[in-house]
Amino acid sequence: MKELVGIAEQVAAKLIARKQTIAVAESSAGGLIAASLLAVPGASAYFLGGAVVYTRDARRMLMDISDEVMKGFRSSSEPYAQLLAEQMRTRFDSDWGLSETGAAGPTGNRYGDSAGHSCMAVAGPAMEVMTLETGSNDRFGNMQMFAAAALRLLLRKLEG
């Protein structure tokens, strides 16, 4: 968790310096992205909110993404990660949206992705989507790696 908070401190410094805000949607990271950002003192200056979108019901209720909108998308994919990031940014009227969706393990998901698969996206003044494959079935280890990768992705966009 220390590594996550260290990355979050760098993200926080950039967001505070720019007077910018963020909202987060995460699935298989289970709240670790939001927890890391909130562990930094002064988080209320930049963190507007977050959601753990782990199920279809959570997607419908927390993200207001209907089954109709999901046609042509599947969870644990780059297009879905981008949709989540954009939806968070819009719903919170934040400068940045950050999302993560994947399969932490110890087994894969129902979409055929193996454990250790995660897609993440940043939506904002700069956009990027990426896929991470850890090759591991260590659930908590993967959750930590997913959160760290998402925070690093955001940090790269803030530095770029």
Side-chain angles (χ1 to χ4, degrees):
M1 192 69 187
K2 251 185 190 168
E3 177 196 8
L4 291 175
V5 175
I7 304 164
E9 286 171 340
Q10 296 173 63
V11 166
K14 299 276 186 208
L15 289 170
I16 290 168
R18 293 171 164 218
K19 295 181 171 45
Q20 291 181 332
T21 56
I22 186 158
V24 176
E26 54 193 304
S27 175
S28 52
L32 289 176
I33 298 168
S36 300
L37 290 167
L38 290 169
V40 180
S44 59
Y46 59 87
F47 189 87
L48 297 185
V52 177
V53 186
Y54 196 70
T55 63
R56 281 188 185 133
D57 285 343
R59 173 186 40 84
R60 290 182 198 118
M61 290 187 252
L62 299 174
M63 302 301 296
D64 195 28
I65 299 173
S66 69
D67 292 341
E68 189 64 31
V69 170
M70 281 299 290
K71 284 198 165 84
F73 287 92
R74 75 168 183 84
S75 297
S76 302
S77 69
E78 289 188 1
Y80 180 63
Q82 185 172 358
L83 175 65
L84 288 176
E86 290 169 355
Q87 187 76 343
M88 284 307 274
R89 184 177 183 219
T90 301
R91 289 176 67 89
F92 281 88
D93 193 26
S94 59
D95 297 291
W96 298 92
L98 178 63
S99 73
E100 177 280 329
T101 177
T107 61
N109 61 27
R110 65 175 148 207
Y111 310 106
D113 302 306
S114 58
H117 167 88
S118 178
C119 297
M120 48 210 69
V122 172
M127 310 259 250
E128 188 172 337
V129 183
M130 65 169 273
T131 298
L132 172 69
E133 300 286 351
T134 68
S136 170
N137 65 356
D138 173 7
R139 186 174 181 84
F140 191 61
N142 282 332
M143 292 170 72
Q144 291 176 303
M145 284 192 261
F146 297 168
L151 288 167
R152 282 192 198 100
L153 176 63
L154 175 61
L155 185 58
R156 281 198 309 274
K157 294 295 117 188
L158 288 166
E159 291 172 342

